[in-house]
Amino acid sequence: MATGECPIKKANVGGGGTRNNDWWPDELKLNILRQHTAATNPYKDFDYAAAFKTLDYNALKKDLTALMTDSQEWWPADFGHYGGLFIRMAWHSAGTYRVSDGRGGGGAGQQRFAPLNSWPDNVSLDKARRLLWPIKQKYGSKISWADLLLLTGNVAIESMGLPTFGFAGGRPDQWEAEESVYWGGETTWLGNEVRYSEGNEGVKGSGVVDGDQHKKDHTDIHSRDLEEPLAAAHMGLIYVNPEGPDGVPDPVASARDIRTTFGRMAMNDEETVALIAGGHAFGKTHGAGPSENVGKEPQAAGLEKQGLGWENKFKSGKGPDTITSGLEVIWTSTPTKWSNKYLEYMYKYDWELTKSPAGANQWTAKGAEAIIPDAFDPNKKHVPTMLTSDLALRYDPAYEKVSRHFLENPDKLADTFTRAWFKLLHRDMGPRSRWLGPEIPSEVLIWEDPVPAASHPLIDDNDVASLKKEILATGVAPNKFISTAWASASTFRGGDKRGGANGARIRLAPQKDWKVNNPKQLSEVLSALEGVQKKFQSGSKKVSLADLIVLAGSAALEKASGVSVPFTPGRTDATQEQTDTESFKHLEPYADGFRNYGKSTSRVRSEQFLVDRAHLLTLTAPELTVLVGGLRALNTNYDGSSNGVLTKRPGQLTNDFFVNLLDSNTAWKTTDNETYEGTDRKTGAKKWTATRADLVFGSHAELRALSEVYGSADGQEKFAKDFVAAWDKVMNLDRFDLASSSPQG
Ligand code: HEM
């Protein structure tokens, strides 16, 4: 103090300093299980669906339509119309969705947050969102950013002359950057050395992958395999490199990357061609000058930039001088009006490789006249241009068949495009009971995973009581009912809200044949329950098998615990025709620690798969802990093995798993780092066997802390209560028809 130095200068606060993640980057991370809680959400007890219902939807659409042509001096509209920019914003919001883990997508407004707000593929979309702010501000909580970003793309298409297939609102916003999505292991933007390296064997649901292992050279662009669950060819891109794979201007090789990445977004060849041809009927690309002129992305830009990034020092830095992708292409002569000209020009001309002013590979129509308008100068015209990825639609033989068909049948392109666009925007919304607004199409689509509406009165409390008795009298071991109910409900995924017990799809292909579902045991349980159903339905009442599967789990659990287990009827049974078998394949777990199924890969450890699945099930760390401990005590491993069944009384809902796991008299050893043997420290007698998904509850400091709660002398009662609550949550995860139990985030 005597020196007059301010003591604050020596302070370091606000999250600085070396953290656990720096010291132990491989530590199992539980942070994804505690995101999007009340602590991050400014709205308390807010019901977005109710707020949306008070929205003047038509007035909002009118305001959006007016905005399209209300060019702002700070970010002028190309051709006097923001339509192209807004379509790209909506497409990039929804287009991060991937089928294998149901994550990504536009369902939560994540484009506002890092990393997406700063991805190299999202350059200039900061401006698009900022242009929307006055409208968001006007309508406030009645329209979420998530809904607004997508609806704006829809309105853009309509305002340029193409009626859309419809629109559904109902996507509540999140308020912090999503941490659960594995975007790849590369540490540089546009890198792809990890996703195409060896050791990327198909791994589903690997949202907690530590991707920095196994760095190797790129594999051949004509044969390389993209790591699951990724759906983009480079870190920071939505799909593929527009210049061609790794910048190589090869349209046929580009088609290969497009097929893989669009396939991972649930799009087939027809839908893919329609989306690209339809999307690029509008707007232009931006590469007026060298990319060195472009400053830092929003996440790294200075405070004075107020959340905007990519400041462009080239001439005016906007309008005709805009640099976004570094490519400078205008596809059609009517970029603000729906037409088939994109495909007409694609086939009319031969294309020669040229460079954009920024030096990027693109293609120019050979010998063509300058028929394309300039975005700002009415006296200037350009010759038609295309991206390498555009020409994939002509030069890949399978895409060519589709695109030629669309060329000759513009109505077919319009129909396929608007349907694929609708699917793109709504794929991750879950069942129709979540959809809101006046523009919901009446046609039900197979990718909605439809379940029929209940056509009969639901069972009442008396029916429930008598059905439980019937179920327990079938002679099937109770733990098998618990396994089946769990298998049925635990396919749910919070990201795209697919799966769950409703529909009883566990009795249909492909789920009935999944190894994790133990098909032999499953068919024993299902035929017993069908017997109960038949007998019950010989009277005037009806019950679905979907309800019976869950009820059987509840009945068996009550018997095993002595605690009453809630049950809410109302599920119905889907048919095989209502079930897209191909698409349901993505719900099959690669590993599932709740049932002690599967094991580590070279990139993902078993316990990471367990946490990943817990995240898909929207569980907290305490819920994960209590469920695994309970399921082990109840003896419900997929194959009936005794791994982790750390109890002398299997089948009862006891806290024995925790008591025995935390017993210091047991020593554990392994020969394969996957299964472990526990012996008595004194006698050396063999006591237990267990897997990584069991022992992590004793070894991981935070999971151990939770295990101690349940393994304490006063833990049993709390354990049983918490288990039943978590069980009930899982059984009802897909019950969006029950307003109170719908996860809103
Ligand atoms: C613009 C690439 C698919 C809609 C662009 C730009 C690139 C690009 C590089 C220029 C960005 C800029 O510099 O401003 C690709 C690639 C695709 C693809 C590689 C897939 C292989 C799609 C799809 C849609 C779409 C599926 C919509 C359904 C648009 C629109 C623009 C655009 C409307 C114009 C943006 C504006 O006018 O500001 N695309 N795109 N694109 N893209 Fe795509």
Side-chain angles (χ1 to χ4, degrees):
M1 282 303 164
T3 62
E5 218 178 86
C6 171
I8 299 298
K9 258 172 84 177
K10 291 199 172 161
N12 195 329
V13 294
T18 321
R19 298 289 157 145
N20 285 351
N21 200 31
D22 303 311
W23 296 117
W24 301 283
D26 289 338
E27 187 197 41
L28 181 67
K29 298 172 189 77
L30 300 183
N31 60 326
I32 64 172
L33 304 183
R34 42 183 172 249
Q35 284 211 277
H36 316 303
T37 64
T40 58
N41 192 335
Y43 290 116
K44 305 281 172 251
D45 303 320
F46 175 65
D47 180 348
Y48 176 57
F52 185 95
K53 283 175 189 154
T54 67
L55 169 72
D56 187 341
Y57 188 81
N58 291 331
L60 168 61
K61 280 191 72 174
K62 221 170 133 201
D63 286 347
L64 288 173
T65 310
L67 172 68
M68 296 294 156
T69 49
D70 185 12
S71 184
Q72 301 294 310
E73 202 277 327
W74 64 269
W75 194 256
D78 301 329
F79 315 103
H81 201 297
Y82 288 119
L85 178 65
F86 283 140
I87 293 173
R88 177 170 160 256
M89 175 189 74
W91 142 239
H92 282 208
S93 175
T96 52
Y97 172 77
R98 65 278 184 101
V99 285
S100 36
D101 63 4
R103 294 192 173 101
Q110 279 291 328
Q111 199 185 74
R112 296 175 293 149
F113 302 121
L116 302 177
N117 66 357
S118 294
W119 267 12
D121 221 3
N122 286 339
V123 177
S124 301
L125 296 182
D126 54 340
K127 318 296 188 300
R129 292 190 302 277
R130 200 54 65 87
L131 284 165
L132 270 178
W133 166 239
I135 290 185
K136 171 69 178 117
Q137 186 172 36
K138 176 174 172 185
Y139 292 91
S141 61
K142 293 177 178 165
I143 183 89
S144 64
W145 271 111
D147 276 344
L148 188 61
L149 297 181
L150 301 181
L151 176 62
T152 304
N154 233 43
V155 173
I157 293 175
E158 290 170 349
S159 75
M160 293 190 287
L162 181 66
T164 61
F165 193 71
F167 185 81
R171 303 167 185 81
D173 279 332
Q174 291 176 341
W175 300 93
E176 60 181 317
E178 177 62 59
E179 293 282 346
S180 72
V181 190
Y182 175 66
W183 295 119
E186 296 83 7
T187 51
T188 53
W189 295 122
L190 306 182
N192 64 4
E193 65 277 11
V194 177
R195 67 195 63 208
Y196 288 121
S197 68
E198 282 175 32
N200 68 357
E201 64 274 272
V203 168
K204 289 176 185 161
S206 45
V208 282
V209 158
D210 291 327
D212 55 354
Q213 307 155 27
H214 299 275
K215 283 190 182 164
K216 290 212 175 122
D217 286 344
H218 294 199
T219 43
D220 183 357
I221 57 169
H222 301 283
S223 62
R224 62 190 183 181
D225 284 328
L226 178 62
E227 176 186 26
E228 292 267 15
L230 298 180
H234 293 261
M235 176 61 94
L237 291 192
I238 306 294
Y239 280 99
V240 304
N241 186 334
E243 292 184 70
D246 299 358
V248 179
D250 177 341
V252 176
S254 176
R256 195 173 183 281
D257 276 1
I258 295 173
R259 186 165 286 113
T260 305
T261 56
F262 275 67
R264 300 240 177 127
M265 183 184 51
M267 299 295 172
N268 62 24
D269 275 7
E270 260 213 340
E271 293 166 321
T272 302
V273 171
L275 278 173
I276 300 171
H280 290 178
F282 303 113
K284 75 181 286 283
T285 76
H286 301 84
S291 301
E292 295 81 73
N293 290 294
V294 177
K296 286 190 172 139
E297 67 275 18
Q299 199 69 7
L303 251 67
E304 70 284 4
K305 304 289 181 252
Q306 290 294 288
L308 297 178
W310 300 295
E311 193 175 50
N312 176 8
K313 293 201 169 58
F314 183 70
K315 297 187 188 168
S316 71
K318 59 188 180 182
D321 308 314
T322 300
I323 304 171
T324 299
S325 60
L327 290 144
E328 188 61 35
V329 158
I330 309 175
W331 296 281
T332 87
S333 59
T334 54
T336 62
K337 215 171 163 309
W338 172 253
S339 77
N340 214 17
K341 293 196 173 91
Y342 170 87
L343 290 178
E344 285 167 20
Y345 298 170
M346 183 179 283
Y347 279 100
K348 181 171 175 189
Y349 300 108
D350 288 331
W351 299 91
E352 69 184 329
L353 188 62
T354 50
K355 295 267 184 210
S356 74
N361 287 320
Q362 58 182 50
W363 301 77
T364 303
K366 258 195 216 165
E369 280 179 40
I371 51 169
I372 304 278
D374 188 81
F376 292 94
D377 183 347
N379 300 315
K380 229 182 185 174
K381 292 269 184 214
H382 304 269
V383 287
T385 36
M386 290 268 166
L387 306 172
T388 301
S389 53
D390 292 314
L391 295 184
L393 306 189
R394 172 169 165 184
Y395 293 104
D396 174 81
Y399 283 162
E400 186 198 350
K401 258 190 217 147
V402 180
S403 59
R404 274 194 193 277
H405 183 71
F406 288 150
L407 171 69
E408 283 146 25
N409 300 279
D411 290 350
K412 181 72 183 156
L413 171 65
D415 183 56
T416 314
F417 171 64
T418 48
R419 282 168 178 272
W421 174 259
F422 182 78
K423 177 176 171 180
L424 173 72
L425 267 48
H426 298 80
R427 182 78 199 84
D428 61 346
M429 275 199 81
R432 272 183 175 236
S433 40
R434 290 190 78 233
W435 300 14
L436 303 171
E439 294 193 289
I440 298 172
S442 54
E443 185 180 335
V444 175
L445 303 150
I446 185 77
W447 55 258
E448 292 174 35
D449 303 338
V451 293
S455 58
H456 51 83
L458 301 183
I459 50 174
D460 60 23
D461 289 351
N462 290 335
D463 299 326
V464 166
S466 67
L467 279 166
K468 280 198 230 171
K469 273 194 201 130
E470 293 282 340
I471 289 164
L472 294 176
T474 55
V476 174
N479 64 337
K480 295 183 182 175
F481 287 130
I482 295 173
S483 294
T484 301
W486 180 265
S488 174
S490 70
T491 48
F492 182 80
R493 331 194 280 189
D496 60 2
K497 292 149 185 81
R498 300 188 67 201
N502 203 358
R505 287 194 162 92
I506 194 166
R507 76 198 200 291
L508 306 174
Q511 287 183 43
K512 69 181 174 58
D513 302 313
W514 289 349
K515 190 173 169 196
V516 66
N517 286 345
N518 191 337
K520 200 163 151 249
Q521 176 178 305
L522 175 63
S523 90
E524 179 196 351
V525 169
L526 290 177
S527 62
L529 293 179
E530 276 159 10
V532 172
Q533 184 190 35
K534 209 165 161 201
K535 192 165 160 207
F536 182 76
Q537 297 190 164
S538 62
S540 59
K541 295 198 162 176
K542 284 200 166 143
V543 61
S544 67
L545 208 63
D547 267 350
L548 271 185
I549 290 167
V550 174
L551 184 62
S554 304
L557 187 53
E558 280 182 349
K559 191 172 168 191
S561 64
V563 178
S564 132
V565 179
F567 172 76
T568 317
R571 299 170 187 83
T572 60
D573 299 337
T575 62
Q576 190 69 64
E577 292 67 43
Q578 288 169 320
T579 306
D580 180 349
T581 342
E582 266 312 302
S583 150
F584 266 92
K585 281 185 187 159
H586 299 299
L587 270 58
E588 181 177 4
Y590 177 88
D592 179 1
F594 288 97
R595 294 185 264 178
N596 252 332
Y597 171 74
K599 56 182 192 331
S600 311
T601 67
S602 59
R603 288 190 175 185
V604 189
R605 300 187 303 275
S606 297
E607 61 274 25
Q608 290 177 291
F609 281 119
L610 174 64
V611 170
D612 194 62
R613 181 133 297 270
H615 177 264
L616 295 176
L617 290 170
T618 72
L619 299 175
T620 63
E623 287 167 340
L624 157 69
T625 306
V626 79
L627 280 167
V628 169
L631 288 168
R632 294 296 186 272
L634 291 164
N635 198 15
T636 57
N637 283 339
Y638 87 102
D639 57 353
S641 85
S642 56
N643 288 336
V645 183
L646 310 182
T647 176
K648 296 278 178 243
R649 33 186 185 163
Q652 291 181 42
L653 188 67
T654 64
N655 65 347
D656 289 356
F657 172 85
F658 299 109
V659 172
N660 288 317
L661 183 68
L662 302 177
D663 180 354
S664 302
N665 294 317
T666 306
W668 294 95
K669 64 173 193 298
T670 181
T671 51
D672 61 0
N673 283 321
E674 206 58 45
T675 46
Y676 296 76
E677 196 177 278
T679 52
D680 188 298
R681 273 191 207 282
K682 284 192 202 118
T683 66
K686 187 178 157 186
K687 288 164 84 177
W688 317 109
T689 59
T691 69
R692 299 185 68 88
D694 300 313
L695 293 196
V696 72
F697 291 92
S699 92
H700 186 277
E702 291 177 14
L703 291 177
R704 187 176 177 94
L706 296 168
S707 299
E708 286 170 359
V709 171
Y710 296 119
S712 293
D714 62 356
Q716 170 63 31
E717 198 181 322
K718 179 173 171 54
F719 161 75
K721 201 169 135 253
D722 291 358
F723 180 88
V724 169
W727 170 271
D728 188 46
K729 170 174 165 174
V730 172
M731 293 303 125
N732 292 309
L733 280 171
D734 61 347
R735 297 298 305 278
F736 296 101
D737 52 317
L738 310 171
S740 60
S741 67
S742 313
Q744 286 285 311

PDB file of all heavy atoms in Angstrom, residues 619-631:
ATOM      1  N   LEU A 619     -31.561 -36.543 -18.063  1.00  0.00           N
ATOM      2  CA  LEU A 619     -31.399 -36.820 -16.628  1.00  0.00           C
ATOM      3  C   LEU A 619     -30.345 -35.911 -16.003  1.00  0.00           C
ATOM      4  O   LEU A 619     -29.396 -35.495 -16.671  1.00  0.00           O
ATOM      5  CB  LEU A 619     -30.976 -38.269 -16.429  1.00  0.00           C
ATOM      6  CG  LEU A 619     -31.952 -39.338 -16.939  1.00  0.00           C
ATOM      7  CD1 LEU A 619     -31.337 -40.723 -16.794  1.00  0.00           C
ATOM      8  CD2 LEU A 619     -33.286 -39.263 -16.199  1.00  0.00           C
ATOM      9  N   THR A 620     -30.490 -35.661 -14.722  1.00  0.00           N
ATOM     10  CA  THR A 620     -29.446 -34.981 -13.957  1.00  0.00           C
ATOM     11  C   THR A 620     -28.468 -36.038 -13.438  1.00  0.00           C
ATOM     12  O   THR A 620     -28.757 -37.243 -13.506  1.00  0.00           O
ATOM     13  CB  THR A 620     -30.048 -34.256 -12.745  1.00  0.00           C
ATOM     14  OG1 THR A 620     -30.622 -35.262 -11.884  1.00  0.00           O
ATOM     15  CG2 THR A 620     -31.123 -33.272 -13.157  1.00  0.00           C
ATOM     16  N   ALA A 621     -27.349 -35.584 -12.879  1.00  0.00           N
ATOM     17  CA  ALA A 621     -26.382 -36.550 -12.342  1.00  0.00           C
ATOM     18  C   ALA A 621     -26.979 -37.362 -11.180  1.00  0.00           C
ATOM     19  O   ALA A 621     -26.782 -38.581 -11.115  1.00  0.00           O
ATOM     20  CB  ALA A 621     -25.099 -35.831 -11.927  1.00  0.00           C
ATOM     21  N   PRO A 622     -27.737 -36.729 -10.246  1.00  0.00           N
ATOM     22  CA  PRO A 622     -28.363 -37.559  -9.203  1.00  0.00           C
ATOM     23  C   PRO A 622     -29.349 -38.583  -9.787  1.00  0.00           C
ATOM     24  O   PRO A 622     -29.415 -39.726  -9.326  1.00  0.00           O
ATOM     25  CB  PRO A 622     -29.092 -36.527  -8.327  1.00  0.00           C
ATOM     26  CG  PRO A 622     -28.342 -35.252  -8.524  1.00  0.00           C
ATOM     27  CD  PRO A 622     -27.868 -35.288  -9.943  1.00  0.00           C
ATOM     28  N   GLU A 623     -30.100 -38.195 -10.798  1.00  0.00           N
ATOM     29  CA  GLU A 623     -31.038 -39.155 -11.414  1.00  0.00           C
ATOM     30  C   GLU A 623     -30.293 -40.305 -12.078  1.00  0.00           C
ATOM     31  O   GLU A 623     -30.692 -41.469 -11.970  1.00  0.00           O
ATOM     32  CB  GLU A 623     -31.933 -38.436 -12.440  1.00  0.00           C
ATOM     33  CG  GLU A 623     -32.988 -37.547 -11.795  1.00  0.00           C
ATOM     34  CD  GLU A 623     -33.673 -36.598 -12.774  1.00  0.00           C
ATOM     35  OE1 GLU A 623     -33.125 -36.333 -13.872  1.00  0.00           O
ATOM     36  OE2 GLU A 623     -34.760 -36.079 -12.426  1.00  0.00           O
ATOM     37  N   LEU A 624     -29.217 -39.973 -12.789  1.00  0.00           N
ATOM     38  CA  LEU A 624     -28.388 -41.020 -13.398  1.00  0.00           C
ATOM     39  C   LEU A 624     -27.916 -41.993 -12.330  1.00  0.00           C
ATOM     40  O   LEU A 624     -27.996 -43.218 -12.479  1.00  0.00           O
ATOM     41  CB  LEU A 624     -27.182 -40.356 -14.090  1.00  0.00           C
ATOM     42  CG  LEU A 624     -25.941 -41.216 -14.323  1.00  0.00           C
ATOM     43  CD1 LEU A 624     -26.223 -42.289 -15.378  1.00  0.00           C
ATOM     44  CD2 LEU A 624     -24.752 -40.357 -14.786  1.00  0.00           C
ATOM     45  N   THR A 625     -27.431 -41.453 -11.234  1.00  0.00           N
ATOM     46  CA  THR A 625     -26.858 -42.285 -10.179  1.00  0.00           C
ATOM     47  C   THR A 625     -27.910 -43.197  -9.558  1.00  0.00           C
ATOM     48  O   THR A 625     -27.705 -44.413  -9.434  1.00  0.00           O
ATOM     49  CB  THR A 625     -26.246 -41.370  -9.093  1.00  0.00           C
ATOM     50  OG1 THR A 625     -25.335 -40.472  -9.719  1.00  0.00           O
ATOM     51  CG2 THR A 625     -25.530 -42.166  -8.033  1.00  0.00           C
ATOM     52  N   VAL A 626     -29.032 -42.620  -9.200  1.00  0.00           N
ATOM     53  CA  VAL A 626     -30.039 -43.432  -8.513  1.00  0.00           C
ATOM     54  C   VAL A 626     -30.606 -44.493  -9.453  1.00  0.00           C
ATOM     55  O   VAL A 626     -30.892 -45.620  -9.041  1.00  0.00           O
ATOM     56  CB  VAL A 626     -31.132 -42.538  -7.888  1.00  0.00           C
ATOM     57  CG1 VAL A 626     -32.152 -42.055  -8.899  1.00  0.00           C
ATOM     58  CG2 VAL A 626     -31.818 -43.251  -6.740  1.00  0.00           C
ATOM     59  N   LEU A 627     -30.718 -44.143 -10.741  1.00  0.00           N
ATOM     60  CA  LEU A 627     -31.280 -45.122 -11.682  1.00  0.00           C
ATOM     61  C   LEU A 627     -30.339 -46.290 -11.893  1.00  0.00           C
ATOM     62  O   LEU A 627     -30.767 -47.457 -11.873  1.00  0.00           O
ATOM     63  CB  LEU A 627     -31.608 -44.443 -13.019  1.00  0.00           C
ATOM     64  CG  LEU A 627     -32.924 -43.674 -13.023  1.00  0.00           C
ATOM     65  CD1 LEU A 627     -33.048 -42.778 -14.254  1.00  0.00           C
ATOM     66  CD2 LEU A 627     -34.125 -44.632 -12.942  1.00  0.00           C
ATOM     67  N   VAL A 628     -29.051 -46.011 -12.086  1.00  0.00           N
ATOM     68  CA  VAL A 628     -28.125 -47.125 -12.301  1.00  0.00           C
ATOM     69  C   VAL A 628     -28.078 -48.005 -11.052  1.00  0.00           C
ATOM     70  O   VAL A 628     -28.177 -49.247 -11.134  1.00  0.00           O
ATOM     71  CB  VAL A 628     -26.714 -46.623 -12.694  1.00  0.00           C
ATOM     72  CG1 VAL A 628     -25.701 -47.761 -12.655  1.00  0.00           C
ATOM     73  CG2 VAL A 628     -26.743 -46.011 -14.089  1.00  0.00           C
ATOM     74  N   GLY A 629     -27.977 -47.392  -9.883  1.00  0.00           N
ATOM     75  CA  GLY A 629     -27.923 -48.187  -8.650  1.00  0.00           C
ATOM     76  C   GLY A 629     -29.164 -49.059  -8.491  1.00  0.00           C
ATOM     77  O   GLY A 629     -29.078 -50.235  -8.115  1.00  0.00           O
ATOM     78  N   GLY A 630     -30.322 -48.472  -8.800  1.00  0.00           N
ATOM     79  CA  GLY A 630     -31.567 -49.224  -8.666  1.00  0.00           C
ATOM     80  C   GLY A 630     -31.708 -50.325  -9.701  1.00  0.00           C
ATOM     81  O   GLY A 630     -32.095 -51.449  -9.387  1.00  0.00           O
ATOM     82  N   LEU A 631     -31.373 -49.998 -10.944  1.00  0.00           N
ATOM     83  CA  LEU A 631     -31.511 -51.009 -12.008  1.00  0.00           C
ATOM     84  C   LEU A 631     -30.594 -52.199 -11.750  1.00  0.00           C
ATOM     85  O   LEU A 631     -30.951 -53.354 -12.023  1.00  0.00           O
ATOM     86  CB  LEU A 631     -31.224 -50.386 -13.378  1.00  0.00           C
ATOM     87  CG  LEU A 631     -32.307 -49.429 -13.897  1.00  0.00           C
ATOM     88  CD1 LEU A 631     -31.814 -48.641 -15.112  1.00  0.00           C
ATOM     89  CD2 LEU A 631     -33.599 -50.184 -14.238  1.00  0.00           C
TER      90      LEU A 631
END
